[in-house]
Amino acid sequence: MATFRLLDIAHGRSGDKGNHANIAIIANTPGDYAWLQRHLTADVVERYFAPLKPSRVERYEVPNLHALNFVLYDVLAGGASRSLRSDTQGKALALALLQMECQRD
Amino acid sequence: MKRIRIGNGCGFWGDNLDAPVRLAETGQLDYLTLEYLAELTMSILALQKAKNPDAGFATDFLDVLQRLVPILRQQPGLLIVTNAGGMNPHACARQAQHILAHAGLHRRIAVVTGDDLLPQLDELFATGHTLNHLDNGTPLAALRDRVVSANAYLGAQPIVQALQQGAHIVITGRVADASLTVGPAVHEFGWGFGAADLDRLAAGTVAGHLIECGAQATGGLWIHANDATQLENIGYPIAEIAADGTFTISKPPHSGGVVNVETIAEQLLYEVADPRHYYTPDVVADFTTVRLEQVQPDVVAVRGGTANGITNTYKVSVAYRDGYMSAGTLVIAGPNAVWKARRSGEIILAKLRQAGCTFAESYVEILGAGACVPGVITATSDPPEVVLRVAVRDERKAAVERFTKEFAPLVTSGFAGTTGYTTGRPPVREVFAYWPALIAKAAVQPIVEIL
């Protein structure tokens, strides 16, 4: 089984809405999108970001962009207004997810 | 088919001051939009207005307008739509008029208000508009005394009215960012706001959403940006919209940055939750019907973008006082930098406990060792130096002020390699917490006035 990172097959961007964050992961090819649809589930993303204690993770499919959009609820330690973290707006979350190690089946 | 070109030269208050000038110079624009209001900007502006009745708007706009004077002289048809008015659109408009008059330019300025709900907050509560928190349903009334601002996000309709009255410059308070683009499109193409035009409103909303953050559509934050992307000359985005709602996104010729399907797809989903339901005051847009195609270098054609209904509510952004916070840093170099930095953070908090200062919340992070996504992305080697950052928040301003005085002592009493204390004591800032809510559209009256 070949190991790779998500950023080898996708790109993305993340941002905030209050105390929630969204991460868009956009596949490079239709084949990559099919792989993401099957493997990058809301559960996988919730486990990956467990240290940030999201209250829940929702996944939305955006097939026209070959993209998955994840909403991570209550993950920003208070959000832009009152979070004590450096990354108050979740700007780094997309890059963190794209660094995830995956295995080709 | 008629087409109009709308360029957005500002994505937030603090964006580059020369960008709108460069965009208007070479963008062949019909409209220049300028977006200044982040979620919490209004709370800061509300306090400024409370201290000074002539303040409370995005003052950067006046700086930009001054720089735009030569261009407005050359391009008399260029129209400007901006939410720079913040909490005080009238004061903003008066100062803008002064700048233009001083330059010998005659422009009709329109002011859009009615978004500010603070003056009628008690009346709204009394008539059943409880402004419950969108996430958990809690009514706002319990926090009434701490509220500093409450603004409805108005839509494109008052902007259209202003343009119909011949305004050259439209200055608004809080409106939905995308509506700054939808307004001009509706005005130019004679679209309505009824069922027959909802898909076109949705397409205009997609265009507005794509350009509202300025350079984020043209290579900013793009994951594949490199030296060839020339971010130092980044061009700001232009939506060229046709009467049927199809449009292209491009940027001025010979500018840096890039417009491709990747940059546009990333921005389309930026700060989006459910892509089938992107709520604005004008329409609920469905982003899953949008088609992107690179038609020329740095030109992406956007088709589709359909409506998924319309709401009878406006979103309201409330800010309330929530204590004080401060964050300070020190640089820690040498062997075991990460361990020394973490211990230094603990020492700062221990010293404060000895002085009787505890905090509602405190946080120690080690920049360079995996602080941005803590516990998920961590350092794989021992860095030669790191930045220690300690932050606290509490109701008691005195405790937070005392906190700011505990960094300097470590320069002599801390670990070897402690340095970087050059900026002095960190500032204490008031915290304004964010409270999103909805209000019936019927309870809000947008007002359009020509100055």
Side-chain angles (χ1 to χ4, degrees):
Chain A
M1 277 196 290
T3 301
F4 67 101
R5 291 192 297 175
L6 268 189
L7 55 80
D8 298 326
I9 64 163
H11 59 106
R13 186 168 294 184
S14 53
D16 67 318
K17 273 283 180 233
N19 195 26
H20 318 309
N22 88 299
I23 306 176
I25 298 295
I26 305 164
N28 292 340
T29 69
D32 295 331
Y33 179 58
W35 190 93
L36 290 176
Q37 264 184 311
R38 211 162 47 244
H39 294 97
L40 196 62
T41 62
D43 279 349
V44 166
V45 172
E46 188 163 347
R47 276 201 301 276
Y48 186 73
F49 286 110
L52 302 183
K53 300 186 179 69
S55 61
R56 67 191 167 98
V57 172
E58 198 90 48
R59 183 181 97 162
Y60 297 97
E61 297 189 0
V62 198
N64 51 318
L65 303 181
H66 300 142
L68 298 174
N69 189 45
F70 296 91
V71 181
L72 284 65
Y73 288 88
D74 302 300
V75 79
L76 292 178
S81 58
R82 62 202 295 274
S83 167
L84 299 183
R85 289 186 196 148
S86 283
D87 186 19
T88 56
Q89 292 174 282
K91 300 274 189 192
L93 293 177
L95 292 171
L97 186 51
L98 288 167
Q99 289 176 77
M100 190 166 87
E101 298 266 354
C102 307
Q103 288 188 330
R104 191 61 87 172
D105 47 18
Chain B
M1 202 186 313
K2 180 177 173 180
R3 302 180 77 88
I4 57 164
R5 287 168 67 84
I6 305 173
N8 183 32
C10 182
F12 65 104
W13 191 357
D15 207 347
N16 187 288
L17 291 173
D18 295 317
V21 178
R22 290 197 188 132
L23 177 61
E25 252 170 5
T26 54
Q28 296 183 289
L29 302 181
D30 299 296
Y31 289 84
L32 174 66
T33 60
L34 301 163
E35 198 285 298
Y36 288 99
L37 304 177
E39 272 172 356
L40 287 151
T41 311
M42 293 302 243
S43 55
I44 297 156
L45 294 176
L47 292 192
Q48 290 177 1
K49 186 184 176 186
K51 281 185 203 149
N52 174 0
D54 292 324
F57 59 90
T59 50
D60 271 13
F61 170 63
L62 300 179
D63 213 334
V64 166
L65 190 63
Q66 186 69 55
R67 289 160 200 246
L68 283 169
V69 160
I71 289 164
L72 291 174
R73 202 168 274 134
Q74 291 157 14
Q75 301 180 31
L78 178 65
L79 306 183
I80 298 174
V81 182
T82 179
N83 61 7
M87 287 298 293
N88 202 346
H90 282 104
C92 180
R94 281 195 300 273
Q95 299 235 30
Q97 196 174 43
H98 180 75
I99 288 171
L100 294 173
H102 192 71
L105 291 169
H106 300 286
R107 292 290 192 275
R108 184 176 289 195
I109 300 180
V111 176
V112 173
T113 55
D115 59 300
D116 181 4
L117 305 180
L118 198 56
Q120 70 235 52
L121 203 52
D122 295 315
E123 194 186 320
L124 287 171
F125 287 163
T127 50
H129 301 285
T130 49
L131 298 180
N132 298 358
H133 195 289
L134 255 185
D135 293 338
N136 55 32
T138 313
L140 178 62
L143 291 168
R144 175 66 188 92
D145 295 344
R146 291 157 66 185
V147 172
V148 292
S149 65
N151 295 77
Y153 284 79
L154 302 182
Q157 294 199 34
I159 295 171
V160 175
Q161 285 170 31
L163 294 170
Q164 281 170 347
Q165 291 173 45
H168 303 103
I169 299 176
V170 183
I171 296 175
T172 75
R174 178 63 92 187
V175 302
D177 294 350
S179 300
L180 297 176
T181 298
V182 173
V186 169
H187 169 64
E188 293 286 337
F189 300 131
W191 299 345
F193 287 92
D197 283 301
L198 286 188
D199 281 345
R200 281 180 280 271
L201 292 176
T205 297
V206 173
H209 171 68
L210 283 173
I211 66 173
E212 75 184 42
C213 292
Q216 279 189 208
T218 53
L221 303 192
W222 181 40
I223 187 171
H224 295 129
N226 57 24
D227 269 355
T229 317
Q230 294 182 52
L231 291 176
E232 63 271 47
N233 296 318
I234 194 161
Y236 276 53
I238 300 163
E240 185 175 303
I241 307 177
D244 64 357
T246 59
F247 64 93
T248 62
I249 300 288
S250 62
K251 63 188 185 69
H254 313 298
S255 59
V258 61
V259 178
N260 62 28
V261 170
E262 289 192 1
T263 66
I264 298 303
E266 286 182 16
Q267 191 56 22
L268 186 61
L269 295 177
Y270 180 68
E271 290 183 347
V272 168
D274 174 0
R276 287 182 197 279
H277 296 91
Y278 184 77
Y279 293 95
T280 79
D282 304 314
V283 67
V284 182
D286 183 349
F287 288 177
T288 66
T289 57
V290 172
R291 298 274 180 275
L292 306 178
E293 185 194 352
Q294 185 98 45
V295 289
Q296 286 172 47
D298 293 320
V299 183
V300 168
V302 184
R303 297 183 185 83
T306 48
N308 221 338
I310 190 163
T311 69
N312 56 10
T313 52
Y314 289 119
K315 188 174 177 184
V316 179
S317 173
V318 179
Y320 63 93
R321 291 178 198 274
D322 196 23
Y324 300 85
M325 65 180 281
S326 183
T329 59
L330 286 170
V331 176
I332 314 287
N336 292 322
V338 175
W339 179 85
K340 287 188 294 186
R342 194 160 293 285
R343 278 294 292 137
S344 299
E346 290 166 6
I347 289 166
I348 286 173
L349 294 173
K351 290 263 195 195
L352 285 158
R353 270 195 304 277
Q354 289 166 17
C357 293
T358 55
F359 301 93
E361 197 184 354
S362 63
Y363 193 65
V364 176
E365 57 183 14
I366 313 300
L367 305 177
C372 276
V373 194
V376 181
I377 303 293
T378 49
T380 50
S381 62
D382 189 18
E385 72 275 317
V386 292
V387 174
L388 162 68
R389 181 175 176 278
V390 187
V392 298
R393 179 176 59 78
D394 199 79
E395 291 287 310
R396 296 159 301 165
K397 193 176 185 183
V400 179
E401 277 173 347
R402 174 63 205 261
F403 161 82
T404 68
K405 298 169 184 171
E406 287 300 335
F407 286 82
L410 285 184
V411 173
T412 53
S413 66
F415 292 105
T418 302
T419 182
Y421 188 79
T422 50
T423 50
R425 288 172 182 165
V428 174
R429 76 164 175 88
E430 197 166 5
V431 178
F432 301 105
Y434 170 66
W435 181 285
L438 298 175
I439 191 165
K441 280 181 176 167
V444 179
Q445 275 80 45
I447 300 162
V448 180
E449 295 159 275
I450 302 289
L451 209 64

